[in-house]
Amino acid sequence: MLKNVRIALWAACALPLVALLAVVGLELTQGTNSVGAFQASGIGGPFKLASSTGGELSSDDLKGEPFLVFFGYTHCPDVCPATVSDVSTWLDALGPEGKGIKALFISIDPERDNVASLKDYLSSFSDRIIGLTGTQDEIANVAREYRVYYAKHPTKDGDYTMDHSAVIYLMDRDGKFAGTLTYDEKQEAAVAKLKRLLASA
Amino acid sequence: MMRSHLSMMSAFANALVTASVALLFFFVLSPAVAAPSALIESIAATAAPSAEYSVGQLRITAPWMRATPKGATVASGYMTITNTGKEPDRLLRVESDIATTVEVHEMSVSGEVMKMRPLEKPLEIEPGGMVELKPNGYHLMFSRLRQGVNEGDKVSVTMVFEKAGKVEIELPAAGIAAKGPANEGTMPEHKM
């Protein structure tokens, strides 16, 4: 009798734990799946865009060099400048060995971001970050290749803000997806990931 | 069965020890740990006094903003608003000479998609409550900037509250990479 009660009590304790583990497990596998799905469908692809450093930059120009790429717009007050300055800080923290990594900021607001405004904007951060823009079609195309969502959201005063994926992609020397950084990644973790990217052949 | 009881008891005892060590650390050691940073803060505070404003039952502390990148047309501002009164209050309007419009926006992330939205209803500060305007959350959104903001600038902003009324405050501009007000800038990732 006592034994049964004991078993029941243990079960009562264990049940929420099992449920919790199941939820965590599910989230973990879903997380892995989404990364897996990314890889399977192939994040990244060919592009040729107007560069803030002059001329055009294409995916072919980047062959043999690992790079990081993120999407944003210069009319964004809070997260975009913070991300651009974080990326600058991470690149600086890598020191000379970090010179091997290119950093690309692709505008998802080509209507307002031209080469000159991107150049101006980025000059306030690091000369290591290359701004890219293009026609609406070119941007739509590169966003599709990188599975980046973006949408215009009109504001009352006739302006608009952009909703957009705030993820930073790490791409290896072959232009293949190698991982992500998030906009609020801690410096130590970010630098470690960038070092791994550099070390990967 | 006896064994499992024992192990349960020892797990409990372990937890108890961990908890008391944690508590001990918190109460005994943390003032000692906090002291040097408090010192740094007070030194920094003499260099750049951290402004504080009172209007009606509201207190506005740690106002700041980031310097804007070259050519920027927008900027964001941050502060903490505390309501020491017994009634809720609402932020009806914000004005500044540096921008055509100033609104309270909220940044949110769902999935990996980041959104910026003006609040649909005026920002409310509950009695006894506190609202933080900070990076990656609520912020003052300065649109159509008439001028850029440089590090060290003090930007005047007029805030109009429903009950407390009007108050003019200054937002000191920290560096472009700052994560918090200038006097905390020496300590990256510093959390209060």
Side-chain angles (χ1 to χ4, degrees):
Chain A
M1 181 57 196
L2 198 65
K3 198 176 169 187
N4 281 343
V5 171
R6 218 174 260 162
I7 289 170
L9 277 174
W10 273 109
C13 293
L15 210 65
L17 191 71
V18 170
L20 184 74
L21 283 176
V23 170
V24 171
L26 197 67
E27 287 199 345
L28 278 178
T29 39
Q30 277 182 343
T32 329
N33 276 346
S34 64
V35 173
F38 274 162
Q39 277 167 329
S41 55
I43 288 271
F47 61 82
K48 189 192 248 184
L49 297 166
S51 165
S52 62
T53 56
E56 285 178 323
L57 184 83
S58 79
S59 44
D60 283 346
D61 300 332
L62 296 165
K63 284 229 166 95
E65 287 178 277
F67 64 96
L68 64 86
V69 55
F70 59 111
F71 297 74
Y73 65 114
T74 69
H75 290 242
C76 157
D78 189 45
V79 177
C80 301
T83 306
V84 176
S85 71
D86 280 348
V87 169
S88 313
T89 314
W90 301 337
L91 292 174
D92 287 347
L94 281 174
E97 59 173 319
K99 293 263 184 261
I101 295 185
K102 282 228 161 51
L104 314 179
F105 174 80
I106 300 182
S107 172
I108 40 78
D109 185 14
E111 200 177 316
R112 292 186 294 198
D113 291 338
N114 57 31
V115 168
S117 64
L118 274 176
K119 188 179 176 182
D120 260 3
Y121 184 82
L122 292 170
S123 71
S124 301
F125 299 95
S126 161
D127 55 6
R128 296 282 311 281
I129 302 173
I130 301 165
L132 298 175
T133 187
T135 63
Q136 297 279 6
D137 282 351
E138 285 169 337
I139 295 301
N141 191 40
V142 69
R144 197 161 42 239
E145 287 174 346
Y146 279 87
R147 309 285 178 268
V148 162
Y149 170 87
Y150 68 103
K152 212 183 211 184
H153 183 82
T155 51
K156 271 181 293 188
D157 54 8
D159 266 341
Y160 58 89
T161 61
M162 299 295 297
D163 299 347
H164 67 92
S165 309
V167 66
I168 302 164
Y169 293 110
L170 303 176
M171 309 299 289
D172 69 13
R173 285 168 217 281
D174 303 320
K176 291 214 168 60
F177 173 75
T180 59
L181 295 170
T182 58
Y183 70 94
D184 56 356
E185 191 97 27
K186 292 274 170 287
Q187 174 163 339
E188 209 172 299
V191 171
K193 284 186 188 176
L194 291 173
K195 280 192 174 151
R196 269 204 299 280
L197 180 67
L198 271 169
S200 65
Chain B
M1 272 308 159
M2 197 57 201
R3 261 194 122 119
S4 68
H5 264 132
L6 270 177
S7 69
M8 220 169 86
M9 273 172 72
S10 87
F12 182 66
N14 254 330
L16 209 68
V17 169
T18 319
S20 24
V21 168
L23 274 174
L24 189 78
F25 179 80
F26 187 75
F27 285 115
V28 179
L29 295 179
S30 64
V33 175
S37 67
L39 194 70
I40 294 167
E41 262 177 8
S42 70
I43 292 167
T46 16
S50 171
E52 193 178 316
Y53 302 87
S54 282
V55 56
Q57 303 295 313
L58 299 180
R59 273 180 54 219
I60 298 174
T61 49
W64 70 286
M65 65 190 300
R66 265 193 215 112
T68 51
K70 200 176 165 197
T73 57
V74 291
S76 54
Y78 314 100
M79 70 192 70
T80 301
I81 310 171
T82 311
N83 186 349
T84 60
K86 301 243 184 299
E87 306 257 324
D89 205 343
R90 299 192 303 162
L91 177 59
L92 299 182
R93 213 166 65 238
V94 187
E95 287 159 11
S96 174
D97 286 343
I98 68 156
T100 311
T101 56
V102 189
E103 292 177 319
V104 181
H105 278 210
E106 185 178 20
M107 178 275 195
S108 65
V109 176
S110 65
E112 279 155 354
V113 176
M114 185 198 77
K115 294 178 179 177
M116 297 286 176
R117 294 283 184 271
L119 294 192
E120 285 180 5
K121 285 191 239 162
L123 183 72
E124 187 164 299
I125 309 103
E126 296 287 336
M130 180 181 96
V131 174
E132 272 185 286
L133 278 66
K134 59 180 183 184
N136 304 342
Y138 291 131
H139 54 271
L140 292 186
M141 163 85 171
F142 298 80
S143 305
R144 301 193 187 185
L145 286 187
R146 298 193 180 104
Q147 62 192 78
V149 179
N150 297 310
E151 186 170 352
D153 283 358
K154 288 187 160 58
V155 173
S156 289
V157 172
T158 307
M159 318 257 298
V160 182
F161 294 94
E162 190 175 44
K163 297 203 177 74
K166 200 186 250 194
V167 60
E168 190 151 314
I169 66 170
E170 268 183 352
L171 271 56
I176 208 161
K179 310 257 186 212
N183 59 354
E184 285 179 19
T186 47
M187 290 172 283
E189 320 237 277
H190 169 81
K191 299 253 157 61
M192 294 298 285

